Amino acid sequence: MNTKLRMITAVTVALGAVMATAGSAQADPGRPNNPISGSLPNTGDTLVQYSTYRTVSSWEQVQFRYENTISHSLRMGLRDTSGWQFSPTKIMGSKGTTYTIAQNGSTVSIPQGKRFAINARSNGFMWNYQDHNWGGHLYW
């Protein structure tokens, strides 16, 4: 009976692991996060520098879950307190997708305690009747 119980437990754990890796990417809900949003001008690649600064937690990465999409792809990067954009621009186009903007071990080093703000722009000209408003959840 003990062997049968161990086998059932092992199969259950294995199935749980497969299901966890097969799901869509989600930002970790235990990390600092808040809803963020903005509006972009219709002049295409005009940069909008948002003024809210945040400090990187011990996770040492920044992710954005894109929920309210603009008519074109959203381009987002991170800048430091001197105004320098230190992350490559990430192009975001899919609603409900979580994008990693920066993390240690990748091309961008973002140490714990670093302060950052968001740079955003559209990847093309938007007419006045198109959707200029973006939003989602930022995890850091």
Side-chain angles (χ1 to χ4, degrees):
M1 188 68 167
N2 231 356
T3 305
K4 188 174 183 179
L5 183 58
R6 284 187 197 148
M7 180 63 97
I8 291 171
T9 302
V11 169
T12 303
V13 169
L15 285 174
V18 168
M19 303 257 314
T21 59
S24 63
Q26 297 286 325
D28 185 344
R31 293 172 49 198
N33 72 82
N34 68 319
I36 62 169
S37 61
S39 182
L40 299 176
N42 63 354
T43 53
D45 62 354
T46 299
L47 177 67
V48 177
Q49 293 188 316
Y50 294 94
S51 59
T52 301
Y53 279 88
R54 295 160 177 89
T55 303
V56 177
S57 72
S58 61
W59 288 83
E60 300 174 340
Q61 68 177 212
V62 177
Q63 294 178 315
F64 176 63
R65 182 154 177 87
Y66 197 22
E67 295 294 341
N68 180 19
T69 58
I70 61 173
S71 293
H72 293 286
S73 293
L74 175 67
R75 295 168 40 193
M76 185 182 287
L78 304 178
R79 73 176 189 283
D80 60 21
T81 54
S82 71
W84 177 259
Q85 183 171 318
F86 62 88
S87 74
T89 300
K90 180 70 83 171
I91 298 173
M92 304 173 197
S94 299
K95 182 177 182 174
T97 301
T98 299
Y99 295 90
T100 299
I101 302 170
Q103 77 179 42
N104 280 353
S106 69
T107 57
V108 178
S109 178
I110 184 161
Q112 179 180 355
K114 184 171 183 78
R115 293 186 49 76
F116 68 92
I118 294 171
N119 286 343
R121 60 180 66 147
S122 168
N123 72 334
F125 181 86
M126 292 185 288
W127 297 99
N128 287 332
Y129 63 84
Q130 291 179 303
D131 187 0
H132 295 240
N133 299 308
W134 62 270
H137 280 82
L138 189 67
Y139 298 84
W140 69 94

